[in-house]
Structures are given as structure tokens and as C-alpha cells.
Amino acid sequence: MLSFVVKRVLSAVPVLFMVAVIVFMVLRLSPGDPAVMIAGPNATSEQLADLRESMGLNRPLLEQLVIWLGDIGRGDFGTSLVSGKPVTELVMDRLWPTLALSTTTIILAVAVALPLGVIAAWQQGKWLDRLVMAGSVVGFSVPVFIIGYVMILIFARKLGWFPVQGYKPIADGFGEFASRLVLPSIALSFPYIALIARIVRTNVIEVMGEDYIRTARAKGQTERGVMTEHALRNAAVPIVTIIGVSIAMLISGVVVTESVFNIPGLGRLVLEAVLARDYTVIQAVILLFSTIYVFINLSVDLLYGLFDPRIRY
């Protein structure tokens, strides 16, 4: 197991290197000039040239890439081309809102989807199963931003149960912190509840037809015991896989949700950086997301052996 972990961690290094190179080249070769966006349309050619030189944009691409990779190796992600602040400081300031939103979303999604999927499998073909599957279709079909706006209209504007938008750190009080995460977490969790519930249902139904399930029933074990001790445990590998995929997919959903609910997280930071063509910020955030994605894949692989002892590395 230790050798497997070491191999996977080492294999992530070239992956992250290729991601860094691709992101750097795509951003540099895409149309637009950040110097023009910073200086404004009325800037003279001399002012633009001086600005490009101060930002290092007048150097050859390969030289810019080598300098940037060397800085990353020292833990220096540079400074924002727009605000002039260190990129690390900007990312850390925006990290905690995104982390709070992502954590509450995936906990809510798993807590709701697992029992829904099990109930749908247990009641296969009955009205409860059809209701869960119909709800999952709706969860897949309706965009997150529409769900968010509808929830704001009903629960924030009409009923006044929750704040409309914004974010408060937990240091300002748990109540303020939690109340501003309820609506965005629920809105963002809809597609993941639908996805996880369908996978749970499919795999539990498949497992329930195995011989060892019939043997457990023949020995007099209760349906709850059969479901928890045999069916769910043997269906755990694909379920863990889809939960890991859902966590990775949160990256795209966070961008939209943070914009709808005005949460100052990494999603908003990426959007602002893209609009301003702030290369250094975009590169740093994408590398962070890529690292998280690799770590999630590694964690899922390790969990396989925990849920299924037949898997050995």
C-alpha cells in the first residue's frame, strides 16, 4: 500500500507539470492584451510598452514559462497583474468561502442521495422508486443558477428565512455563517443528489440479485441487515467512485453558484481574473484545482481497498 501511495503521488507530478504548461500556453496565446485592459483604451503605445515590460510580457514565451515554473518551485505564484497583490494572498482570502460551500454541499448531497438511492432500489418498480427517479431527472435537467434564483425568490425575498446573498466567516458567529450557506448549498447539491442517487440505486439493485444476498435472507437476516451489511458494502466501490467524481465536478458548479449568491470564493476570483485576463491568478487557481482533483482520485483509490478487501495494490 505504501509503495502504491508513493507511486501515485510521484505520478501526479508530471500530470501537474503538463497542466501548468498547457494552461500557461493557452492563456498566453489566446486573443487579448492584459496591458490594454489594465492601462485602458486611451493609453499611448509608449505606456503600453512600458507596462508590458514591467509585467514581463515582452519576453519570449519560453523564457516566461521557465521563469514562472521556477517561481512556482519556490512557492511563489507571482503577483496579480491587475491588483498588484501576491497571488497566494488572493487565493487564501478566497479559499475558505469555497471550501465551506463545497464541504456543506457534498455532505448534504451524500446524506440525501444515499438513502434515496437505497429506498429506490428497495422499492424497485413501485411509486416511490418512480418518484425518486423523476426527481433525479429534474435535478439533472434544471441548471443550478435557475434553482438558485428560485430559492432566493421564495426563501429569501418572499419568506425572509435566509439572507439573499453574501458570506460571513465563522468567526462572525456560527449562525451568520450557516444561514448564508443554506441556500447556495442546497442549490448546488441538486445535480449531485440526482447523480449519486441514480448510481446507488443501480448498483444496489445489481447486488441484490447475487447469491449471497439470497443466502443471507435464507438464514433469516432482516432486510435492513441485508441492505446495510451486504448490499451497500458490496456496492460501495462504484458509489465511492461517483462521490469522488461529484467532488471533482463541484469545481465547475462553484463558479456559477458563487456568482448567483455573491460569495467571494475562488469561483468568483476565477471569473474576475478571466474577464481581466489576469494570467497569474488564473494559472494559480487552475493548478490548485488540478492538485485537488489528483488528491481526490488518490483518496478514492485508497478507499477501494477499505470497502472491498479483494482489491490489493
Side-chain angles (χ1 to χ4, degrees), residues 12 15 26 38 59 110 126 180 197 199 226 229 260 284 296 301:
V15 173
V26 168
I38 295 173
R59 297 175 179 176
V110 173
K126 299 181 180 180
R180 285 169 167 76
I199 296 299
V226 169
E229 296 180 20
V260 171
I296 291 170
D301 286 345

Side-chain angles (χ1 to χ4, degrees), residues 151-310:
M151 295 185 71
I152 289 174
L153 178 63
I154 296 175
F155 297 104
R157 297 295 300 274
K158 298 290 187 182
L159 300 177
W161 290 355
F162 301 100
V164 176
Q165 292 178 326
Y167 171 81
K168 289 286 186 180
I170 196 170
D172 292 347
F174 182 78
E176 290 289 329
F177 167 77
S179 65
R180 285 169 167 76
L181 286 177
V182 172
L183 294 185
S185 297
I186 294 175
L188 183 55
S189 68
F190 264 77
Y192 306 109
I193 291 174
L195 177 62
I196 296 172
R198 290 180 71 91
I199 296 299
V200 170
R201 174 187 179 273
T202 300
N203 285 278
V204 169
I205 289 175
E206 181 179 346
V207 169
M208 292 295 284
E210 298 291 338
D211 291 338
Y212 55 81
I213 297 295
R214 287 191 288 270
T215 301
R217 285 171 171 164
K219 290 181 177 180
Q221 193 164 13
T222 64
E223 281 297 312
R224 176 180 295 181
V226 169
M227 187 68 68
T228 57
E229 296 180 20
H230 298 282
L232 272 179
R233 185 174 181 84
N234 285 277
V237 170
I239 293 173
V240 168
T241 302
I242 200 60
I243 292 174
V245 171
S246 299
I247 296 174
M249 289 169 57
L250 277 174
I251 295 172
S252 59
V254 160
V255 176
V256 176
T257 308
E258 288 182 352
S259 299
V260 171
F261 288 92
N262 194 28
I263 298 175
L266 290 177
R268 286 281 303 279
L269 180 63
V270 170
L271 182 60
E272 294 166 1
V274 169
L275 294 176
R277 296 190 60 81
D278 198 341
Y279 294 137
T280 53
V281 174
I282 298 172
Q283 292 164 171
V285 175
I286 292 179
L287 275 180
L288 175 61
F289 285 158
S290 301
T291 303
I292 294 173
Y293 188 84
V294 170
F295 175 76
I296 291 170
N297 285 335
L298 175 61
S299 301
V300 169
D301 286 345
L302 295 178
L303 286 173
Y304 287 164
L306 177 64
F307 287 106
D308 191 344
R310 295 171 297 180

Side-chain angles (χ1 to χ4, degrees), residues 50-183:
D50 292 339
L51 188 56
R52 292 190 189 99
E53 182 177 359
S54 65
M55 293 190 298
L57 298 177
N58 60 338
R59 297 175 179 176
L61 278 179
L62 183 58
E63 182 180 349
Q64 294 183 46
L65 174 61
V66 171
I67 293 174
W68 182 63
L69 291 176
D71 291 338
I72 289 178
R74 296 190 297 272
D76 180 12
F77 288 90
T79 58
S80 169
L81 300 180
V82 177
S83 66
K85 296 181 179 179
V87 173
T88 304
E89 179 183 330
L90 291 175
V91 171
M92 292 305 298
D93 287 343
R94 303 291 190 98
L95 176 62
W96 299 113
T98 298
L99 187 61
L101 175 60
S102 301
T103 303
T104 53
T105 297
I106 201 63
I107 290 174
L108 176 63
V110 173
V112 174
L114 274 179
L116 282 181
V118 171
I119 290 172
W122 182 44
Q123 298 289 318
Q124 182 185 5
K126 299 181 180 180
W127 68 269
L128 195 55
D129 178 28
R130 295 191 181 96
L131 180 63
V132 172
M133 289 301 97
S136 68
V137 172
V138 174
F140 274 127
S141 304
V142 182
V144 172
F145 71 90
I146 292 181
I147 297 175
Y149 284 129
V150 170
M151 295 185 71
I152 289 174
L153 178 63
I154 296 175
F155 297 104
R157 297 295 300 274
K158 298 290 187 182
L159 300 177
W161 290 355
F162 301 100
V164 176
Q165 292 178 326
Y167 171 81
K168 289 286 186 180
I170 196 170
D172 292 347
F174 182 78
E176 290 289 329
F177 167 77
S179 65
R180 285 169 167 76
L181 286 177
V182 172
L183 294 185

